Amino acid sequence: MSRRFADSEARLAELEAQVESQQQNQPVIQQTSYDETPAQPAVVIQSLDQDILDRLAVMEENWATLKESEAKKKADALKKPTFKVGGRIHWDHWNFSESSPGIDNFEHPGPGPQTGTDPEDLWAFRRIRMEFSGDILENMFWRMQVDFAELEDAAIKDVYIGFSELPYNQKLYLGHQKRPIGLDHWNSSRYNIFLERPLIVESVNEDARRMGIMMHGYTDDESLNWQYGIATLENSAGDRANRSDAGQYSLHFRTSGTPWYDETSGGRGYLHLGFAGMFANPDGDADPAVTDNNEGRFRTRMAQRSERRWMDTGTIAGANWYEVAALEMMLNVGAWQWTTEYMNVWLQRDQTTPGTGPDVHFSGFYTQFSYFLTGEYIPVNREVGQIGRIKPFENFFLVDKCCGGRGRGWGAWQIAGRYDYLDISDADVRGGVGNMATFGLNWYWTAYSRMQFNLIYSDIRDHAPVNGFTAGNSLTAGVRFGADF
């Protein structure tokens, strides 16, 4: 509306300038005698149309009302916090079409009648989330997010308060929040290309969120952003608390930027680079009476929703300290995108805890490609270093026309492929060495709803024996129907 008022004012100014110019250029008419009839002017001055003047009066009145309304909103914002509601629904189906005996025993190790049987197919809600957020007066904010996918045990996700507009474009987050370890977990599940996260990402940063204090910031030109802070190691999403005298904490930092960003195309082309680090103390010497779990453990599913995590180091005895270094890269050129991440984990062990052993090293990476058949692209949020919402050129619809026939829109179509490698076996720790290939097909109905399909082949070897099996492979298909609001 402000733009429309400005355009109207410019047009009126142009008309007034034309009138003024006509008045200045009007020829002077001289009369030789009072008896003579005055000659008609060569240029007749045109007055502004009365309709335009009436419309101007109405627009000025509306403009005054708008400014008064905006001033009132700003004044009200200083009196009480704001409140917003959102959420997401992800409904999944997983079909474990083929699996070897090794995978069957990783899934059902027993004891019991299911021991060694193949993974069961699954229909389930992956996410049922309600989100509430808002601002607190001028420079504070808050957010609460709870997942009800497991109705008997709802889990907290983002639950924090914070301060905004701090120096250097920074925000301070206090509460339960994401740890900044790499790109894929930093992205929202609303926007990610594949149904589940890569192996190395999930094994190092299981469930992503912990209680902590974090600072986020970015440069004025948005070419560089950063996150840093401290968090607890124990996952408190289920019990909502950390109660212990053991010091199980981790230090985090991440910085990323876009050394190339194509402003002229609105961001259809960019290069994103990032680096993240983590220093963690899982406290391998924790007293047996301590209620915290030893967090020196790395595990993951094979990018699907099996009942158990098929790759798992178990609790590593004597885990004292470990460090994580992560590199990330994302190159987007129009409808094409290439993304890759590489992570290393170095874990030091004490020599006092029963069952302890030598220091160990784990590593893994993934690389993925995607392409929009319909020409869209994946945007990047440069303030926080993550991908943004994908917007189809046209939404999917199928309706009857009033004059007969049907109207339709096809939405956005995207194909993708990913290769994963994870090695969490070293010395006496045998979590397994995994390779995984995933094909993806995504159909975006709107910017807020989509259907995704994944076909996954996975292979595991060098695993600790489970009922005598140390290796296995599987073929799994998954589909998700998702929407957020």
Side-chain angles (χ1 to χ4, degrees):
M1 185 177 287
S2 300
R3 189 179 73 252
R4 293 175 62 186
F5 281 131
D7 293 342
S8 300
E9 290 178 350
R11 177 56 180 162
L12 289 171
E14 181 182 346
L15 293 174
E16 290 175 349
Q18 291 178 359
V19 171
E20 182 178 352
S21 174
Q22 291 171 352
Q23 290 176 335
Q24 292 175 353
N25 296 330
Q26 178 181 356
V28 178
I29 303 172
Q30 297 181 351
Q31 293 180 332
T32 57
S33 171
Y34 289 105
D35 296 331
E36 295 179 0
T37 303
Q40 296 296 323
V43 179
V44 179
I45 301 176
Q46 298 180 351
S47 63
L48 293 176
D49 188 273
Q50 186 62 39
D51 181 57
I52 294 179
L53 295 175
D54 293 340
R55 291 170 61 188
L56 174 61
V58 173
M59 293 174 65
E60 289 178 340
E61 181 181 352
N62 291 340
W63 178 242
T65 302
L66 177 62
K67 291 196 293 185
E68 181 181 349
S69 175
E70 291 179 346
K72 184 177 184 303
K73 287 181 180 178
K74 292 181 180 179
D76 291 342
L78 301 177
K79 298 178 183 179
K80 60 182 180 181
T82 60
F83 181 84
K84 299 178 182 178
V85 178
R88 73 193 71 168
I89 299 171
H90 291 168
W91 183 40
D92 292 4
H93 173 63
W94 289 99
N95 178 266
F96 297 88
S97 55
E98 295 183 14
S99 59
S100 69
I103 295 296
D104 298 343
N105 281 271
F106 295 163
E107 176 74 351
H108 295 124
Q114 282 191 309
T115 301
T117 59
D118 64 309
E120 296 178 289
D121 294 345
L122 176 70
W123 282 98
F125 285 102
R126 179 67 174 88
R127 296 177 179 89
I128 307 175
R129 291 190 188 174
M130 287 299 300
E131 305 168 9
F132 311 94
S133 62
D135 297 321
I136 304 175
L137 305 186
E138 294 180 281
N139 68 330
M140 287 191 69
F141 56 90
W142 64 276
R143 180 179 173 88
M144 294 191 304
Q145 184 183 148
V146 182
D147 198 319
F148 298 96
E150 297 182 12
L151 297 178
E152 71 282 0
D153 188 19
I156 62 171
K157 296 298 179 180
D158 293 330
V159 181
Y160 54 73
I161 59 175
F163 292 86
S164 59
E165 300 183 12
L166 300 178
Y168 306 108
N169 301 317
Q170 295 192 109
K171 293 183 179 181
L172 178 64
Y173 292 74
L174 308 169
H176 200 259
Q177 58 191 290
K178 280 189 175 182
R179 300 184 295 182
I181 308 176
L183 172 65
D184 197 274
H185 247 316
W186 197 242
N187 292 336
S188 172
S189 62
R190 296 173 296 172
Y191 311 143
N192 264 348
I193 298 172
F194 295 92
L195 297 185
E196 297 294 331
R197 303 187 188 277
L199 301 183
I200 183 61
V201 171
E202 186 62 29
S203 62
V204 171
N205 194 15
E206 183 182 338
D207 293 336
R209 294 171 173 86
R210 299 292 189 274
M211 292 186 180
I213 301 173
M214 297 285 172
M215 188 79 82
H216 301 181
Y218 60 93
T219 57
D220 289 338
D221 63 359
E222 299 182 355
S223 63
L224 186 69
N225 65 84
W226 58 87
Q227 303 85 35
Y228 60 91
I230 185 171
T232 61
L233 275 181
E234 186 173 0
N235 189 349
S236 55
D239 54 18
R240 294 89 170 167
N242 273 333
R243 183 177 289 108
S244 174
D245 292 331
Q248 296 181 331
Y249 296 97
S250 58
L251 294 174
H252 299 268
F253 70 89
R254 174 179 179 262
T255 182
S256 66
T258 48
W260 171 57
Y261 184 82
D262 188 9
E263 297 277 4
T264 58
S265 67
R268 286 182 61 89
Y270 55 83
L271 173 64
H272 166 100
L273 299 174
F275 173 73
M278 172 182 177
F279 300 90
N281 177 215
D283 196 15
D285 286 328
D287 187 273
V290 170
T291 57
D292 268 1
N293 294 317
N294 188 314
E295 292 299 317
R297 182 180 190 179
F298 303 90
R299 58 181 183 168
T300 182
R301 295 179 174 88
M302 303 305 287
Q304 30 68 0
R305 301 309 294 177
S306 56
E307 184 178 354
R308 292 179 179 270
R309 292 171 172 86
W310 298 345
M311 299 185 68
D312 189 350
T313 64
T315 299
I316 301 175
N320 195 22
W321 282 89
Y322 70 84
E323 301 80 39
V324 177
L327 296 172
E328 62 189 67
M329 189 277 291
M330 182 167 53
L331 175 64
N332 198 95
V333 181
W336 289 94
Q337 187 179 96
W338 174 38
T339 303
T340 187
E341 290 191 72
Y342 175 68
M343 294 187 186
N344 272 288
V345 180
W346 297 271
L347 186 144
Q348 297 82 49
R349 303 164 78 179
D350 63 33
Q351 299 303 315
T352 58
T353 301
T356 189
D359 297 349
V360 293
H361 169 247
F362 307 132
S363 64
F365 73 93
Y366 74 90
T367 186
Q368 67 185 40
F369 295 88
S370 65
Y371 175 68
F372 274 100
L373 302 173
T374 46
E376 289 81 0
Y377 76 105
I378 302 174
V380 63
N381 185 336
R382 302 172 73 198
E383 291 186 6
V384 292
Q386 62 184 197
I387 63 174
R389 187 180 297 279
I390 295 165
K391 300 178 180 179
F393 290 148
E394 68 170 2
N395 293 334
F396 166 70
F397 63 91
L398 181 62
V399 297
D400 290 330
K401 294 182 178 179
C402 297
C403 56
R406 289 178 177 173
R408 57 177 56 86
W410 292 108
W413 290 81
Q414 179 188 41
I415 56 174
R418 184 174 75 193
Y419 172 73
D420 283 75
Y421 173 81
L422 174 64
D423 182 356
I424 51 175
S425 285
D426 191 20
D428 61 321
V429 178
R430 317 308 293 175
V433 177
N435 292 272
M436 187 176 69
T438 305
F439 167 76
L441 176 64
N442 300 326
W443 182 16
Y444 296 84
W445 297 328
T446 69
Y448 300 89
S449 58
R450 60 181 173 172
M451 182 180 76
Q452 297 174 271
F453 171 79
N454 283 182
L455 183 65
I456 305 167
Y457 174 79
S458 59
D459 175 83
I460 302 174
R461 56 183 172 83
D462 204 13
H463 193 285
V466 178
N467 300 330
F469 293 93
T470 61
N473 56 75
S474 69
L475 182 65
T476 309
V479 64
R480 171 173 297 162
F481 304 93
D484 68 275
F485 56 92

